[in-house]
Amino acid sequence: MSKKVRKNYGTLKWVIGLLLFAFLLLMVTAGYFSAKLKPIVKTQIKEIVLDATDSLYRIEFSEISMNLITGRASLSDVKIIPDTSVFKQLIDERRAPNNVYYITLKKLGIKNFHPGRLLRHKKLKIDVLLFDNPDVVMINQAFDFNESKSENAENSPYHYISKYLKELKVSTIDLKNISFKYVNNNLQVPEIDSIRNLNITLKDWLIDSASARDKNRLYLLKDIIINLNNYTYATPDSLYHINLNQLDFRGSSGKLNIKSFSVVPRYPEMQFGQATGFARDRFNIEMSDLSLEGIDLPLYVRKQELYAKEMNIANGFVEVFNNNMLEREKVVKTGQYPQQLLQKAKGQLTVKQLNLNNVDICYAEYDKQSHQKGKITFEKTSGTITNITNTEKAKLKNPYMFANLTSYMMGKGRLDVKFRFDLKAADGAFSYQGVLGAMDGRELNRITKPLGMVEVKRGRIKKLEFDIKANDRVARGNLKFAFNGLSVALLKKEEGRERLVKKGFMSFLANAMVINSDNPNQVGVLVSAPIHYERVKTASFFNFVWRTLFQGIKYSVGVTAEKENKIKNQIAKFEKMKTDRDKRRAERQKRRTRQSQPR
């Protein structure tokens, strides 16, 4: 490779190469064009691509066609191929780009190239540059030496065309129906993603003496428009399909819109766990409106790092279901809190603020004791999550991720909750506090009956407040639960009956001896529940949060360890009395039978 002026390489240098050979084609053929000159033109095109990329890429194509009258030209069966030996040498010289491309296309078409302007002013203007069905393979490997490289050190593209042209301008570059494959070589095992039916439009591409310094241009462009329709991706475990409909992105605004997004499980609720072999959370997600604003496109192209100022999610639902009839997966879930999973994400991600609006959240379980499905819902959820990032702990300026949410529990009681996640804590430290407003306690029967075998017969929730600090091991805090007129019925499952049956005497004992019907009581004393709950290592984040609050609720309504022991003793006495009574009854029946027999 020649020892010319040292050049650095941006991720779109392949575009520069293509357009350079296009303008050279026009320059060589502006005066006349014949079959005899085709070999010469081909040679010139190949040489300029090599020169423009410092021999990193070569171009191959089958045919050249041109019509000076209509201002049209084209190349057929185009291939742009990197030289791996040159790439290795660039790595050794610490000058290699992070991205390498393999490109093939049926035809490169040029419309309206204005030959008169080229001859008179040495300015080449092309109205449309069309890439027909391009197939692009992008291989990414992030090199440390590119991190410290100054943008000013890179030669302007004008440096490469100045001896031929004063200006090169293309109004529209259309890449239609792209097949794109992304290979991530930054992992021990390369990861491959593929996309089809992708459309990209590049607007007002300009190379002149000043365009490289124009702050209103991105990669010498006024705008980059990306469109993707009906994208479907099967997850590696074959349990879900991820569907995306109508993605639109504009580089000038840094805004991305997605009309609809869904994560669809491949199996119905009761069959999902059977397919995996154990009880496992099944997710069903659908969002109608998503958008990202303030995306840093150069950062993403250079390092596949997603940075956005704002993300909006609206009008959708998240459903989680677990079939507890199956054996639970004996997997320790320590280290799987939201902020910990974010830190483990493969790609670098930062979203300054996520806005939620009108999202319904549902958690449901099928209980092996009741043989029924119970669920708890948080409807019309709205709010914000700020500082979503997996930036290295040492580089974090703000070490906390905050979630401030408002929802309606069972669609009735307003719930305001605030989470704080410590992004630096090794033990997954987080805290949450919130207030649940007034609602009818019977609304909770959708979860208490199937999962707790308890029916709320009557009761009015006035207010529930909680303040909890937790980590990987334990949760501590305080809960205040104000209610009045509480009465419950204990339930049981009887063989052959679908509905749960009331335990009459047990319910009487529970209401008489255990349950506080009012809090505060008649003299105004409010029972405040101290919380100390040790997390089960196999429990999920949601399960940990729910069980922690449930401990405080049980304490508030009177289900303390002391009272539980008392009711157990009473039940034991009752069962013994019943057994003794049945025994005496059986003895009497035996005596009657003997007495009635003939002597």
Side-chain angles (χ1 to χ4, degrees):
M1 187 172 64
S2 61
K3 299 291 185 179
K4 298 183 192 178
V5 178
R6 295 284 180 171
K7 303 172 192 152
N8 297 313
Y9 299 88
T11 55
L12 296 183
K13 278 290 176 64
W14 59 274
V15 175
I16 295 174
L18 284 173
L19 295 178
L20 284 173
F21 86 72
F23 91 74
L24 182 62
L25 167 66
L26 295 174
M27 183 181 68
V28 171
T29 58
Y32 56 91
F33 188 83
S34 69
K36 293 181 180 180
L37 291 177
K38 282 188 178 182
I40 299 174
V41 175
K42 283 186 177 182
T43 300
Q44 291 289 334
I45 291 172
K46 292 181 179 182
E47 286 182 0
I48 201 166
V49 170
L50 285 169
D51 183 67
T53 65
D54 204 7
S55 301
L56 180 56
Y57 290 95
R58 74 177 191 273
I59 185 167
E60 296 177 359
F61 50 91
S62 60
E63 290 295 328
I64 304 173
S65 65
M66 187 171 190
N67 189 320
L68 292 175
I69 297 174
T70 60
R72 291 173 179 261
S74 66
L75 297 179
S76 301
D77 302 320
V78 180
K79 293 182 180 180
I80 298 174
I81 306 165
D83 189 319
T84 55
S85 62
V86 172
F87 184 63
K88 290 178 181 177
Q89 187 171 343
L90 289 170
I91 294 175
D92 293 338
E93 296 175 1
R94 301 177 63 81
R95 301 190 300 117
N98 286 351
N99 299 316
V100 174
Y101 300 86
Y102 291 80
I103 303 170
T104 62
L105 57 148
K106 290 183 178 180
K107 183 181 288 188
L108 171 64
I110 301 171
K111 297 181 180 179
N112 303 329
F113 53 80
H114 307 285
R117 186 178 179 184
L118 172 64
L119 293 173
R120 290 193 301 270
H121 306 292
K122 292 183 67 175
K123 292 183 178 181
L124 176 59
K125 182 179 184 298
I126 298 171
D127 286 352
V128 178
L129 186 63
L130 179 62
F131 293 75
D132 183 18
N133 290 299
D135 190 314
V136 180
V137 178
M138 173 182 168
I139 301 175
N140 175 263
Q141 185 172 354
F143 296 109
D144 293 338
F145 51 77
N146 284 330
E147 296 301 307
S148 58
K149 188 178 292 183
S150 171
E151 293 183 2
N152 296 327
E154 185 170 348
N155 288 325
S156 165
Y158 183 68
H159 169 83
Y160 304 110
I161 73 165
S162 57
K163 61 181 177 180
Y164 305 111
L165 293 173
K166 292 181 179 179
E167 177 185 281
L168 170 60
K169 183 175 183 179
V170 183
S171 297
T172 301
I173 304 173
D174 267 339
L175 297 94
K176 297 296 186 184
N177 195 28
I178 305 170
S179 293
F180 181 80
K181 180 183 289 185
Y182 169 68
V183 181
N184 185 352
N185 270 350
N186 298 296
L187 308 173
Q188 288 185 346
V189 178
E191 188 175 83
I192 300 174
D193 291 321
S194 298
I195 298 175
R196 295 184 179 274
N197 304 319
L198 180 66
N199 300 300
I200 301 176
T201 300
L202 310 176
K203 304 295 290 185
D204 193 7
W205 194 78
L206 176 65
I207 297 178
D208 64 13
S209 60
S211 60
R213 299 187 298 274
D214 188 345
K215 299 297 184 182
N216 295 318
R217 290 184 178 273
L218 182 66
Y219 296 121
L220 307 175
L221 296 157
K222 278 292 187 182
D223 208 352
I224 299 173
I225 302 167
I226 299 174
N227 170 263
L228 177 64
N229 287 318
N230 301 324
Y231 171 71
T232 298
Y233 169 73
T235 57
D237 57 14
S238 298
L239 294 176
Y240 297 93
H241 279 118
I242 297 175
N243 301 319
L244 186 151
N245 181 32
Q246 195 172 328
L247 178 150
D248 295 292
F249 172 76
R250 296 191 76 98
S252 58
S253 63
K255 185 170 183 178
L256 181 146
N257 290 306
I258 299 174
K259 186 176 181 180
S260 66
F261 170 83
S262 61
V263 178
V264 182
R266 297 184 62 185
Y267 302 97
E269 286 183 341
M270 297 302 291
Q271 296 177 18
F272 185 86
Q274 294 172 359
T276 64
F278 48 80
R280 179 175 179 176
D281 286 342
R282 172 189 181 271
F283 293 89
N284 185 20
I285 302 172
E286 184 174 312
M287 300 295 167
S288 298
D289 300 287
L290 290 89
S291 67
L292 282 160
E293 299 185 12
I295 295 174
D296 188 336
L297 182 60
L299 180 65
Y300 183 78
V301 172
R302 188 173 70 251
K303 298 173 56 181
Q304 280 61 63
E305 179 178 340
L306 177 60
Y307 175 92
K309 292 180 180 178
E310 188 172 279
M311 183 175 184
N312 300 286
I313 299 176
N315 304 319
F317 62 80
V318 178
E319 296 176 344
V320 184
F321 173 81
N322 201 303
N323 181 6
N324 286 330
M325 291 288 290
L326 302 171
E327 182 180 355
R328 284 195 172 274
E329 183 183 15
K330 293 181 174 64
V331 174
V332 174
K333 295 183 178 179
T334 301
Q336 296 188 22
Y337 293 165
Q339 79 275 30
Q340 294 171 320
L341 292 175
L342 181 63
Q343 297 299 323
K344 294 176 182 177
K346 294 177 182 177
Q348 195 73 18
L349 168 70
T350 297
V351 177
K352 300 303 291 182
Q353 180 164 307
L354 167 61
N355 302 312
L356 288 175
N357 184 39
N358 194 31
V359 176
D360 293 338
I361 301 170
C362 172
Y363 180 81
E365 289 183 7
Y366 189 85
D367 189 73
K368 61 182 177 181
Q369 185 177 359
S370 68
H371 289 196
Q372 293 185 7
K373 183 173 81 170
K375 67 179 181 179
I376 184 170
T377 63
F378 300 93
E379 302 174 26
K380 298 179 181 178
T381 303
S382 300
T384 62
I385 303 175
T386 57
N387 197 36
I388 303 170
T389 182
N390 57 3
T391 300
E392 294 179 24
K393 293 179 180 180
K395 297 179 181 179
L396 278 173
K397 295 181 180 179
N398 179 3
Y400 297 104
M401 179 172 69
F402 295 93
N404 297 328
L405 305 173
T406 296
S407 187
Y408 289 85
M409 186 174 178
M410 299 301 192
K412 301 294 183 180
R414 173 170 172 147
L415 174 65
D416 295 300
V417 61
K418 296 180 180 180
F419 285 89
R420 188 180 79 164
F421 300 94
D422 191 334
L423 300 176
K424 287 189 174 183
D427 63 356
F430 71 100
S431 63
Y432 56 103
Q433 54 186 260
V435 178
L436 173 66
M439 64 181 291
D440 189 331
R442 290 174 294 182
E443 297 291 345
L444 300 178
N445 282 329
R446 281 181 284 170
I447 189 170
T448 62
K449 289 174 66 176
L451 303 187
M453 306 289 276
V454 175
E455 179 184 6
V456 179
K457 301 294 290 183
R458 65 176 183 273
R460 182 70 181 172
I461 297 172
K462 294 157 68 175
K463 191 177 185 180
L464 187 149
E465 295 181 85
F466 51 90
D467 189 350
I468 313 293
K469 291 181 175 60
N471 55 35
D472 278 333
R473 304 178 307 279
V474 66
R476 298 182 178 89
N478 189 269
L479 183 142
K480 297 178 181 179
F481 184 22
F483 56 88
N484 63 280
L486 179 64
S487 175
V488 301
L490 304 184
L491 307 173
K492 63 180 179 179
K493 177 70 175 177
E494 288 190 350
E495 194 70 31
R497 301 186 66 173
E498 291 187 7
R499 299 186 63 180
L500 299 174
V501 178
K502 181 180 176 181
K503 295 180 179 180
F505 184 70
M506 302 293 186
S507 299
F508 170 77
L509 288 178
N511 287 300
M513 301 178 59
V514 178
I515 301 299
N516 298 324
S517 60
D518 299 284
N519 193 32
N521 60 19
Q522 294 180 350
V523 294
V525 177
L526 175 71
V527 175
S528 178
I531 290 176
H532 181 99
Y533 182 76
E534 294 185 7
R535 174 181 161 270
V536 178
K537 291 183 179 180
T538 56
S540 66
F541 173 78
F542 184 88
N543 180 278
F544 183 36
V545 170
W546 167 248
R547 292 294 178 184
T548 298
L549 295 177
F550 187 59
Q551 184 193 64
I553 292 171
K554 284 173 59 180
Y555 188 95
S556 299
V557 301
V559 185
T560 62
E562 181 182 353
K563 285 189 176 182
E564 281 187 302
N565 289 331
K566 188 175 181 180
I567 192 69
K568 285 179 181 178
N569 291 334
Q570 288 293 333
I571 291 172
K573 290 180 181 179
F574 172 74
E575 293 291 346
K576 186 176 185 306
M577 291 171 57
K578 183 180 177 182
T579 301
D580 291 344
R581 183 185 60 192
D582 292 342
K583 186 177 180 180
R584 290 194 298 271
R585 185 179 296 167
E587 290 292 335
R588 287 196 298 269
Q589 184 62 38
K590 287 180 181 179
R591 288 197 298 271
R592 292 193 190 100
T593 302
R594 287 196 299 267
Q595 292 172 359
S596 62
Q597 292 177 350
R599 293 177 180 261

